[in-house]
Amino acid sequence: MKRVKHWQDAANAALGAWLVVSPWVLGFQNVVVATVSTMAIGALLIASSLEAMQVPQAWEEWLDAGLGALLMMTPALLGFDGVAPALRNALVTGGLVTALALWVLVSDDEFAASWERIVG
């Protein structure tokens, strides 16, 4: 059995699974745009995190960080920021996803080079 390099990838996969079921758990499943966008980002997060567990690469962490940031912006961009459970879910889960992905990027010596290319 292959050892997972970063536990944060497994945590982000779990957060992606949470996003897929959260509209029903939190009761905003009748708000179609909130449900579909939350589930779509969750599915993408699951896929990218599972790939990162198999073949860890910096771009996968950047993708996860981007998905987390997108998740936090989605309520305002798509107009469901008045749906409190969906808004809180997007902000909290998106913040966690972003923080976990950035944690991997700054703590993995191999991935640190990707920061150096960005910040110069």
Side-chain angles (χ1 to χ4, degrees), residues 71-92:
L71 181 61
M72 290 186 286
M73 293 184 291
T74 301
L77 292 174
L78 298 180
F80 62 89
D81 51 341
V83 181
L87 175 63
R88 280 193 302 272
N89 188 43
L91 293 176
V92 171

Side-chain angles (χ1 to χ4, degrees), residues 6-48:
H6 306 110
W7 65 267
Q8 296 92 334
D9 294 327
N12 271 341
L15 289 169
W18 161 252
L19 289 170
V20 171
V21 300
S22 66
W24 290 270
V25 175
L26 299 176
F28 63 88
Q29 73 276 5
N30 294 329
V31 183
V32 175
V33 69
T35 299
V36 171
S37 62
T38 300
M39 290 178 62
I41 292 173
L44 290 171
L45 184 60
I46 292 168
S48 68

Side-chain angles (χ1 to χ4, degrees), residues 56-80:
Q57 295 181 349
W59 70 265
E60 294 157 340
E61 302 305 332
W62 284 112
L63 177 59
D64 284 358
L67 288 171
L70 177 63
L71 181 61
M72 290 186 286
M73 293 184 291
T74 301
L77 292 174
L78 298 180
F80 62 89

Side-chain angles (χ1 to χ4, degrees), residues 52-120:
M53 286 188 275
Q54 297 299 313
V55 184
Q57 295 181 349
W59 70 265
E60 294 157 340
E61 302 305 332
W62 284 112
L63 177 59
D64 284 358
L67 288 171
L70 177 63
L71 181 61
M72 290 186 286
M73 293 184 291
T74 301
L77 292 174
L78 298 180
F80 62 89
D81 51 341
V83 181
L87 175 63
R88 280 193 302 272
N89 188 43
L91 293 176
V92 171
T93 308
L96 287 170
V97 167
T98 302
L100 289 170
L102 293 176
W103 184 352
V104 171
L105 286 166
V106 299
S107 64
D108 186 304
D109 292 337
E110 293 177 38
F111 295 170
S114 66
W115 280 103
E116 292 173 13
R117 285 190 295 272
I118 292 172
V119 295

